Every structure is written in C-alpha cells, then in structure tokens.
C-alpha cells in the first residue's frame, strides 16, 4: 500500500504555546491509518524545530502528503506544497481541515492541490491511499478534465469504531514537550449555536464507550513522558450524556486512573438533575481541576440571537458552583457579532466584571472578535453588511499574512466599534483581574513596561473608557505573542 506523510503546517505568526500541544486531528487520522496497515508519519511545522530539514529528508519516500489546514496556516501550507512539487513531483497532495471543508471548490481549484478531503478524514484518507477510484470516494473534491468534481459528503463515522490515539506516531520532541495531554471521548454536539462549526456542519454528537475512555487513560498514565502532566478531554461537549459522564468519572476513581484533567461544559448543565453538587464533588475527586464554558456574551438579546440557550444568571451560577468545589471556572467570550450594539458589548464587560470579582481563580478568555464560518446565517449577515470574502486560496493567503487571527477586525464593515472590538481582549486580560494576576501573564516584555500597561488597562476598565487605545496599538505592534 502507498505511504502517506501527514503535515501540520506552520502558522502565519509563530506562538510559544504551539510547542506544548499537538494536532489532535492528524493524530486521530494517523492512528486510524496505522491500524489499517498504512505506512504513515507525522511532521509538524508549528512544533518541530527542524521541520524543513526533516521534510527535505523524507518527502522523496512518500506517495501522498496530507495537510490539515486552518485559515492562518494557508501561507505556510502553500509554501510546503511548492517545496513538495520541486522535490517529488509525483507525490499527490491532499488538503483537509477546517478551511478546505468550508471552501471546498476554492481549495480544489488551486494548481498545487490534487485532492480536497472535506469533513472527517480518517476513512476518506484510507480510501485515497488504497488507490480506490476517486469517483467512488465520498467526501472529496478533485480536478478532472479541467473541471472541479465534488463528490457527495461522507457520513459521520462512529468514534467507538476507531482506534485510540497511537502515541508512538507522535514525533518524540512533540510528545515530550506536551504540557496538556489530549484525549477525545466524543465528537460533535447536539446544540445549535449559530456561530459554531458543529451546528453549521451538522456534526451530531457521537461517543466512545466508557471502557475505551478508561483504557485510553490507562495507556496515558503508564507512559513515563506524561508523568506529572495534565490532561484535557478535547470533546466539544463532554457532558451530553450525564449517565456516561458519571460512569467515566466513577471508573477513574475506582481504577486509580486519577490525573489532573479539564474539559468543556455548558453553563445550563450546572443544575439539579444534571451536574449537581454530588457530581461536582465526584469530578473534583477524580482529578477535574478546570471546567471550560462558552459564555459568549453578557447580553440576553445576543445569547438568544446566536441560539446559545443559556442566560447570564446561569453563567454566574456555574462559576459559583465550580468555586464551591475547588474547580477553576473558565469562560470564553466574543464580541463584534452582526447586529451587536455597543450596549450589548458593555453588558458582556459587566458580566466579565462580575465573574472576575467572584474569585481570582476565575479565568476569562477573550472577548475575541467574532469571525464567521460559511454556511451560517451570521455569515450571510456579514456578507449583507458589505464584507467581501476572498475568492481564491491565494487571496486568503494574502489576507492571512501577518494576522494573529482568522480575520482582522478592520476587514469587517459591519463592526462599528472597531477599536473597542479589537482592543477588548487586552483590556479584559490586564484590566479586569488583579495586578499580580496580570503580571503573571505569558506576554514577554520588560516588567516595568508591563506594569505601566496594566495600570492603564485597569484605569480604563474601572472607568469603562476605551476610546483612542493608543497604548494597545503600540503593544499589539511590538509585543503581542
């Protein structure tokens, strides 16, 4: 059977925290292919110091290369494709991941790309490398006689029928540098939040069996390179089936598989009959130290618009419950949605302020500027407001250059309060918490300069005055990591 090299391309702007993580999607695909007898290897342009040298030494031996590409990885991914064409012109290049899945035809049209694998990649990639007729493979797009052919989508697969992660396939330097070990017990989500990739792609919730989850934890706990490290259940929604979640937690305790772990949860799940005091106590006993909530907004109107189905009161309640059980509550927010007014944004800041005042343990992520996915009603609203999406992969590459995020706020005509939306994450990060907490941030800069910036942020936060953010623009230009 043919050999395939799986690549995680470098991001447009290097960030330190890439070094301590792993590409879960590629690891899942590699584990599946290996279990089916396919020769597979992983390279990571974001995490391996000598990536280009490694690629140069290996590329001649492979028949296929598969790249998992997010929008901010497009420039690096195209550079890799150019390099492959020069060194091994017979190698077939496959693109998968979030960007190709949303922009199938644009991606397949590019001359450097032979096949697009849209949707989940495990089964599709195996069929490609086995030599199956492309016309018979679901979930791909390719060129034929100068035209783009898009085959019907592949049905979502059952995670219980795929192997656990094979850690031997992860390059040693990445495996040993991991700070947070990933485990995946389920895929998808049953909720219909309008901004979410799962709702847009109709990724229904599917799960592994409890015994598989516990076996995965046993393997992880026995590996020397993972000793003393924390774990994250990388599910979109770990607690969909409460009975299953309870079985996993009980199994962790009964089999002495206790590892410090974190996962995602919805604020409306924290209630009697779902995640109550008894279950919260068991979570803490099993090693759970952090629960991550998608709070999104402090405006009831916006929460209703995005079909979040939670309230600000439930968000506050979830924080109080976590703190009572010595579990860190972490909340992510976003601003700059279509139709969002400044008053809605200020409600979000007020909710963040209430959360931050509950305890120094409360963690806030964002608010990040909303960036739309094609196929959603919010995306259509952005287009109606005057935003023009790039039409080619090269245009996307140009747009993504030198931008930390998927798209810069300045590119969205719908956002009236551009400075507020662009700067708010920094003002929350350094202004809403204590000076001690802000000084402990990972941003590398002279301590005195950081302190001055923090004091300005705290003053702005107290006064709720965010106009003319000169200090933020300077920090963004010279310091941002």
């Amino acid at each position: 059977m043919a050999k395939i090299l799986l690549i995680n391309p470098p991001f447009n702007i290097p960030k330190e925290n890439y070094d301590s993580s792993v590409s879960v999607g590629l690891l899942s695909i590699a584990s599946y292919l290996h279990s089916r007898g396919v020769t597979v290897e992983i390279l990571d342009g974001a995490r391996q110091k000598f990536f280009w040298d490694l690629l140069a030494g290996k590329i001649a031996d492979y028949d296929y290369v598969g790249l998992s590409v997010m929008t901010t990885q497009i420039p690096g991914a195209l550079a890799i494709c150019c390099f492959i064409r020069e060194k091994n012109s017979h190698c077939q290049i496959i693109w998968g991941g979030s960007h190709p899945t949303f922009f199938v035809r644009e991606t397949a049209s590019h001359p450097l790309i032979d096949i697009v694998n849209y949707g989940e990649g495990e089964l599709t990639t195996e069929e490609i490398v086995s030599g199956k007729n492309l016309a018979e493979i679901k979930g791909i797009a390719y060129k034929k006689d100068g035209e783009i052919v898009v085959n019907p989508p592949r049905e979502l697969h059952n995670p219980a029928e795929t192997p656990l992660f094979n850690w031997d396939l992860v390059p040693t330097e990445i495996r040993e540098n991991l700070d947070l070990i990933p485990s995946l017990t389920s895929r998808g989500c049953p909720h219909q939040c309008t901004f979410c990739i799962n709702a847009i792609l109709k990724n229904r919730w599917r799960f592994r069996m409890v015994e598989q989850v516990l076996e995965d934890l046993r393997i992880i706990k026995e590996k020397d390179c993972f000793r003393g490290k924390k774990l994250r259940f990388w599910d979109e929604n770990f607690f969909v089936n409460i009975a299953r979640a309870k079985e996993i937690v009980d199994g962790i305790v009964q089999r002495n598989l206790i590892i410090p772990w974190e996962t995602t949860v919805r604020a409306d799940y924290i209630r009697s009959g779902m995640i109550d005091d008894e279950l919260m106590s068991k979570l803490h006993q099993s090693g759970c130290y952090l629960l991550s909530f998608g709070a999104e907004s402090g405006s009831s109107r916006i929460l209703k618009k995005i079909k979040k189905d939670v309230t600000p009161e439930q968000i506050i309640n979830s924080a109080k419950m976590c703190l009572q059980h010595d579990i860190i509550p972490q909340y992510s927010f976003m601003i700059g949605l279509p139709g969002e007014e400044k008053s809605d944004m200020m409600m979000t800041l007020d909710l963040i302020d209430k959360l931050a005042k509950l305890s120094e343990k409360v963690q806030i992520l964002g608010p990040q500027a909303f960036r739309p996915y094609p196929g959603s009603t919010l995306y259509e609203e952005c287009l109606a407001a005057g935003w023009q999406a790039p039409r080619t992969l090269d245009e996307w590459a140009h747009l993504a250059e030198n931008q930390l995020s998927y798209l810069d706020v300045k590119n969205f005509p719908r956002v009236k309060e551009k400075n507020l939306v662009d700067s708010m994450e920094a003002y929350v990060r350094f202004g809403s918490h204590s000076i001690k907490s802000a000084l402990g941030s990972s941003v590398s800069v002279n301590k005195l300069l950081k302190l001055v910036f923090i004091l300005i942020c705290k003053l702005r936060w107290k006064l709720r005055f965010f106009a003319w953010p000169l200090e933020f623009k300077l920090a963004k230009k010279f310091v941002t990591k």
Side-chain angles (χ1 to χ4, degrees), residues 132-148:
K132 188 174 182 178
N133 187 331
L134 294 183
E136 299 174 1
I137 302 176
K138 292 182 178 180
I140 67 168
Y142 57 98
K143 304 177 188 71
K144 183 178 180 180
D145 299 328
E147 300 292 330
I148 302 300

Side-chain angles (χ1 to χ4, degrees), residues 20 167 178-183 217 220 225-234 258-262 287-290 328 363:
S20 59
W167 289 103
L178 273 179
D179 281 346
L180 194 61
I181 308 161
S183 180
L217 293 179
I220 288 170
C225 61
F226 293 154
R227 293 188 188 280
K229 296 183 178 180
K230 298 175 181 178
L231 176 141
R232 181 180 178 93
F233 291 121
W234 216 260
I258 297 172
I259 302 171
W261 62 274
E262 62 180 70
C288 179
Y289 69 94
L290 182 148
I328 298 168
Q363 295 183 4

